[in-house]
């Protein structure tokens, strides 16, 4: 499967590059743009990123696989990230994770067959004062209870 | 009580409101001083970094070479990934212009060409808020090319936001710089320090978001004013994030030196159900935990917490009530460091894994007394033997939790020593210990 950036994204990449003195530094923002366009980052995507930035594919691979927010396999339309780190754990973070798993019938790091949901257990998201919490894609849902969690999941169509 | 960062002014995050209250006027004042005078003012104010190590900010700035044929940079650390820390996020949301104004002043003081604000990727929505504030400042000619005209100076600088992508290690200063450069974010061996060899090998200063956001108020009101707030050796207000078993968790801006008990019982409303406190981590999960009976009279500033056997860190206070299972807590904390270790140094990469295995064993009820010795031993072997401080951050909670809550961990393990030599072969020092010695513990 070939991957090519859209014209619009190519011009976004051009403006991102202006923020840095060399094109290698644009790698992280460009990976985000690629992920936005393709959903996740495949080897073909990495090759294209390398080509566009004029850097080595192996360097793209090294960076893309280091971070948890770049997905190298597909995630659901709604990617649920439940925090279980200490402050959340003290307030029921693991119960929220269990409830999510039970409700969706998939395990952690799995995607529902319809591609709608995926679950990830994440480290502290900086919401410790409003724990427990979960992020759905980029949006935070805080002070969760089982009821609130179910309401949120039901509302995601 | 006087606040500096989280003011009770509605819509203060908006540039028009910020300017109505004198925002960006301090840049003019700073630019009428020489860069060295600005550094001197910050030095005298006694401001210490809010990113964890409480290093003197003015002193750090003075390490920057005065002459350099390379460009200079400022990095602003908004990675905020230390469990229990959620304060910088408040600045992005409620006072982004203090951060931008602070960056303009700090850049001038060290004569930087540009500032990069590194924000963790999960804070996507807060990055958008900060970006909006930055765009507004650009369009009003307060940043970039047009600032020369606005402030009537020959100096100009740019400010950029760099979005992280989910890696705690990027909060470590040299890892953060590698991350911006588009490299794998492995921490660098120091020296050389960033002031000599930072971003793209150029002289660089790095400060936390909260540190930089304090700069406008210091320059505006003078060092004397700032140095009188709170504890003289660590002056100013601090953003304390209180979480865990308290009635009113949240971020409280209070003068440094506030009593830890005041913070927990008066501000955060005490422990639900009137339960006793078993354990408090006063500065984010890397800092040594304190026993509930150790917190009386402890003040929240770097020196007082050091004296009390812990550290101020990022001011993230995690409170645990008497029913908390500390074995589970420690296992969870250790899982975090194991997950976040970049893998560059053997003691950190392997040691965090060993510690996690031993703790999980204890949590399953299959641990023995020798596991406790093993844990402390591994922790001591990590501490001080790694490229960056993540190693220490992983070792401290283990070392101090087990020694300070020995009774609790003893209760969780079986008394008999199972294969003491076999379980300790990794450490040559201990294989020589007579069995009797191990049984004593
Ligand atoms: C593993 C690790 C993670 C860190 N994370 C952060 C962070 O998220 N934010 C931060 O400001 N400092 C963090 N630091 C501290 C920075 O390395 C650096 O000391 C700090 O940003 C300097 O700013 P300051 O002098 O204003 O405190 C971390 C350090 C280590 C070792
Ligand atoms: S101490 Fe750990 S995180 Fe730091 S450089 Fe070494 S392996 Fe990486
Ligand atoms: S511990 Fe869950 S957000 Fe911090």
């Amino acid at each position: 499967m070939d991957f090519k950036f859209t014209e619009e994204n190519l011009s976004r990449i051009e403006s991102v590059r202006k923020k840095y003195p060399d094109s290698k530094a644009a790698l992280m923002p460009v990976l985000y743009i690629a992920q936005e366009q393709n959903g996740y980052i495949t080897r073909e995507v990495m090759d294209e990123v390398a080509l566009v930035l004029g850097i080595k594919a192996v360097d793209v691979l090294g960076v893309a696989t280091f971070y948890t927010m770049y997905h190298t396999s597909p995630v659901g339309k709604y990617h649920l990230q439940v925090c279980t780190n200490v402050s959340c754990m003290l307030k029921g973070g693991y119960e929220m994770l269990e409830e999510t798993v039970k409700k969706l019938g998939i395990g952690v790091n799995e995607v529902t067959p319809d591609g709608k949901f995926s679950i990830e257990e994440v480290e502290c998201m900086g919401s410790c004062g409003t724990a427990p919490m979960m992020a759905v894609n980029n949006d935070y849902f805080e002070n969760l209870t089982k009821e609130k969690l179910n309401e949120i999941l039901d509302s995601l169509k | 009580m006087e606040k500096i960062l989280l003011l009770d002014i509605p819509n203060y995050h908006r540039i028009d409101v910020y300017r109505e209250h004198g925002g960006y006027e301090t840049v003019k004042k700073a630019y009428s001083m020489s860069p060295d005078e600005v550094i001197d003012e910050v030095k005298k104010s006694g401001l210490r970094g809010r990113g964890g190590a409480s290093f003197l900010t003015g002193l750090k700035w003075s390490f920057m070479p005065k002459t350099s044929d390379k460009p200079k940079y400022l990095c602003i650390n908004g990675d905020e990934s230390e469990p229990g820390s959620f304060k910088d996020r408040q600045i992005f949301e409620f006072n982004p212009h203090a951060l931008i104004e602070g960056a303009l002043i700090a850049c001038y003081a060290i004569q930087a060409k540009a500032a990069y604000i590194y924000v963790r990727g999960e804070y996507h929505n807060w990055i958008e808020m900060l970006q909006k504030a930055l765009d507004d400042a650009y369009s009003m000619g307060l940043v970039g090319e047009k600032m020369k005209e606005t402030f009537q100076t020959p100096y100009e600088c740019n400010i950029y936001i760099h979005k992280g992508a989910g890696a705690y290690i990027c909060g470590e200063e040299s890892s953060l710089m590698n991350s911006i450069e588009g490299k794998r974010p492995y921490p660098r061996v120091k020296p050389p320090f960033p002031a000599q060899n930072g971003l793209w090998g150029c002289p660089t200063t790095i400060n936390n978001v909260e540190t930089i956001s304090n700069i406008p108020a210091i320059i505006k009101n003078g060092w004397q004013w700032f140095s009188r707030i709170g504890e003289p050796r660590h002056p100013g207000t601090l953003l304390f994030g209180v979480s865990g078993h308290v009635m009113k968790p949240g971020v409280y801006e209070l003068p440094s030196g506030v009593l830890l008990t005041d913070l927990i019982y008066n501000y955060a409303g005490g422990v639900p159900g009137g339960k006793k406190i078993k354990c408090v981590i006063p500065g984010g999960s890397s800092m040594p935990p304190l026993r509930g009976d150790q917190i009386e009279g402890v003040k929240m500033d770097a020196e007082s917490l050091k004296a009390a056997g812990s550290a101020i860190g990022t001011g993230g206070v995690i409170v645990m009530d008497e029913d908390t299972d500390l074995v589970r807590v420690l296992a969870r904390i250790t899982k975090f460091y194991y997950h976040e270790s970049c893998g560059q140094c053997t003691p950190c990469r392997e040691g965090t894994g060993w510690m996690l295995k031993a703790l999980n064993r204890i949590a399953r009820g299959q641990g023995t007394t020798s596991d406790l010795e093993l844990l402390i031993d591994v922790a001591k072997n990590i501490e001080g033997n790694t490229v960056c401080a993540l190693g220490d951050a992983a070792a401290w909670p283990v070392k101090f939790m087990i020694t300070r809550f020995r009774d609790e961990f003893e209760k969780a393990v079986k008394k008999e020593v199972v294969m003491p030599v076999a379980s300790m072969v990794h450490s040559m020092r201990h294989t020589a210990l007579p069995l009797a010695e191990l049984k004593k513990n």
Side-chain angles (χ1 to χ4, degrees):
Chain A
M1 201 175 54
D2 245 14
F3 173 83
K4 286 273 168 260
F5 281 109
T6 61
E7 281 302 317
E8 194 202 333
N9 281 341
L10 282 172
S11 68
R12 276 171 76 194
I13 291 170
E14 272 321 298
S15 60
V16 154
R17 284 167 81 140
K18 294 200 187 93
K19 287 171 39 175
Y20 307 96
D22 69 20
S23 58
K24 183 168 193 172
L27 178 54
M28 288 184 68
V30 170
L31 281 172
Y32 270 121
I33 295 174
Q35 177 158 289
E36 210 183 286
Q37 183 180 322
N38 197 60
Y40 65 108
I41 297 171
T42 61
R43 289 301 171 99
E44 287 79 13
V45 172
M46 292 180 206
D47 288 344
E48 182 63 12
V49 168
L51 197 71
V52 166
L53 291 178
I55 60 178
K56 289 198 225 108
V58 61
D59 291 339
V60 178
L61 177 74
V63 168
T65 52
F66 190 93
Y67 297 93
T68 56
M69 291 180 68
Y70 297 130
H71 304 299
T72 47
S73 58
V75 293
K77 177 178 168 201
Y78 299 108
H79 184 54
L80 312 174
Q81 304 139 74
V82 185
C83 173
T84 59
N85 210 308
V86 187
S87 303
C88 284
M89 173 176 137
L90 295 172
K91 301 294 273 286
Y94 276 101
E95 287 76 14
M96 296 305 126
L97 183 64
E98 269 165 39
E99 185 73 10
T100 314
V101 164
K102 202 172 84 192
K103 172 123 182 151
L104 298 178
I106 53 166
V108 173
N109 295 329
E110 287 178 9
V111 189
T112 51
D114 60 1
K116 222 166 94 176
F117 296 102
S118 48
I119 307 175
E120 187 183 350
E121 177 184 355
V122 293
E123 297 297 354
C124 177
M125 299 275 272
S127 285
C128 328
T130 38
M133 71 81 67
M134 160 180 82
V136 181
N137 301 338
N138 288 324
D139 297 320
Y140 280 32
F141 295 89
E142 306 178 300
N143 291 315
L144 291 179
T145 57
K146 280 189 184 169
E147 294 70 44
K148 214 167 140 182
L149 180 71
N150 276 295
E151 263 173 48
I152 294 162
L153 294 180
D154 288 335
S155 73
L156 299 172
K157 290 288 170 260
Chain B
M1 208 292 301
E2 196 160 14
K3 290 187 187 175
I4 300 173
L5 297 173
L6 303 178
L7 308 172
D8 299 309
I9 300 170
N11 295 319
Y12 200 58
H13 65 284
R14 278 182 15 205
I15 197 161
D16 53 333
V17 178
Y18 186 76
R19 295 196 82 179
E20 273 164 29
H21 289 86
Y24 292 101
E25 293 299 323
T26 310
V27 180
K28 281 185 206 151
K29 181 175 174 188
Y31 289 7
S32 73
M33 300 158 72
S34 75
D36 279 344
E37 281 167 352
V38 177
I39 295 181
D40 211 44
E41 192 80 10
V42 175
K43 248 191 198 167
K44 288 200 220 134
S45 76
L47 175 68
R48 297 172 68 160
R50 309 298 198 227
S54 305
F55 195 82
L56 288 159
T57 307
L59 186 61
K60 191 187 271 189
W61 291 5
S62 71
F63 294 155
M64 288 292 273
K66 299 287 170 235
T67 50
S68 161
D69 43 14
K70 292 177 181 167
K72 297 183 219 171
Y73 292 104
L74 174 69
C75 283
I76 302 178
N77 196 336
D79 193 52
E80 185 150 271
S81 306
E82 169 96 345
S85 310
F86 47 104
K87 61 179 182 79
D88 295 338
R89 178 182 146 177
Q90 315 297 320
I91 294 173
F92 300 140
E93 184 165 349
F94 299 107
N95 200 0
H97 289 290
L99 175 60
I100 297 167
E101 187 170 11
L104 290 174
I105 299 169
C107 279
Y108 173 76
I110 60 168
Q111 291 290 295
K113 177 178 180 262
Y116 287 88
I117 310 177
Y118 192 104
V119 188
R120 62 179 302 177
E122 293 87 345
Y123 280 178
H124 180 89
N125 292 337
W126 287 270
I127 291 175
E128 301 222 312
M129 294 176 212
L130 183 62
Q131 187 67 56
K132 163 84 172 72
L134 188 56
D135 291 347
D136 288 346
Y138 263 99
S139 62
M140 284 199 166
L142 300 165
V143 190
E145 232 178 324
K146 285 195 235 149
M147 63 190 274
K148 285 186 182 168
E149 203 181 306
T150 313
F151 298 121
Q152 295 293 308
T153 75
Y155 178 75
E156 68 166 274
C157 65
N158 278 294
I159 301 176
Y160 307 106
I161 299 170
H162 186 90
K163 184 181 181 181
Y168 168 67
I169 194 58
C170 291
E172 196 280 335
E173 53 191 35
S174 58
S175 164
L176 181 145
M177 291 172 199
N178 278 339
S179 180
I180 293 178
E181 290 179 29
K183 297 182 184 147
R184 245 176 122 93
Y186 288 138
R188 303 173 182 170
V189 178
K190 283 161 267 181
F193 292 99
Q196 275 72 50
N197 188 5
L199 262 187
W200 297 291
C202 302
T204 305
T205 288
I206 176 159
N207 283 120
N208 171 259
V209 164
E210 184 186 343
T211 311
I212 294 294
S213 304
N214 271 297
I215 298 298
I218 292 172
I219 301 300
K220 182 177 172 196
N221 302 312
W223 65 268
Q224 293 93 339
W225 166 83
F226 187 82
S227 67
R228 282 192 210 107
I229 303 170
E231 189 61 33
R233 285 177 302 177
H234 189 177
T237 61
L238 295 177
L239 300 184
F240 296 107
V242 189
S243 67
H245 296 138
V246 288
M247 294 297 284
K248 292 185 288 177
V251 173
Y252 296 91
E253 179 174 5
L254 295 166
S256 65
V258 61
L259 285 174
L260 177 52
T261 45
D262 245 8
L263 188 57
I264 297 172
Y265 289 105
N266 295 343
Y267 292 97
V271 182
K275 287 187 191 166
K276 287 207 199 85
I277 294 176
K278 182 184 275 182
C279 174
V280 178
I281 305 179
S285 70
S286 308
M287 302 302 147
L290 296 170
R291 288 180 72 102
D293 58 17
Q294 284 182 307
I295 64 172
E296 201 57 49
V298 172
K299 290 201 270 179
M300 292 297 285
D301 62 84
E303 303 304 324
S304 309
L305 273 166
K306 202 159 127 195
S310 189
I312 187 81
T314 55
V317 178
I318 309 174
V319 180
M320 295 166 234
D321 71 17
E322 53 188 309
D323 297 330
T324 311
D325 179 351
L326 290 185
V327 174
R328 266 189 83 206
V329 168
L330 187 57
R332 186 62 187 85
I333 291 178
T334 303
K335 183 177 173 221
F336 171 73
Y337 293 105
Y338 170 65
H339 181 252
E340 301 298 336
S341 167
C342 81
Q344 213 180 185
C345 339
T346 316
C348 171
R349 182 187 62 234
E350 304 298 326
T352 49
W354 286 339
M355 294 195 300
L356 179 60
K357 265 192 209 149
L359 284 162
N360 282 340
R361 195 154 57 226
I362 299 172
R364 283 195 309 268
Q366 293 162 350
T368 64
T369 326
S370 59
D371 281 323
L372 299 183
E373 301 319 317
L374 174 76
L375 280 162
I376 291 175
D377 187 52
V378 175
K380 283 186 181 158
N381 276 302
I382 300 175
E383 198 180 340
N385 290 325
T386 54
V387 168
C388 89
L390 188 140
D392 300 339
W396 284 357
V398 171
K399 188 170 103 180
F400 289 102
M401 192 76 102
I402 295 177
T403 46
R404 287 184 183 159
F405 297 88
R406 187 79 199 191
D407 44 342
E408 179 123 357
F409 282 83
E410 292 277 353
K411 264 188 260 160
V413 296
K414 295 193 193 76
K415 280 285 169 287
E416 73 271 24
V417 180
V418 180
M419 294 192 302
V421 174
S423 65
M424 287 203 173
V425 279
H426 74 279
S427 166
M428 297 310 286
R429 271 192 294 137
H430 282 248
T431 50
L433 273 186
L435 192 64
E437 277 288 297
L438 286 162
K439 278 195 170 147
K440 259 197 311 203
N441 296 320

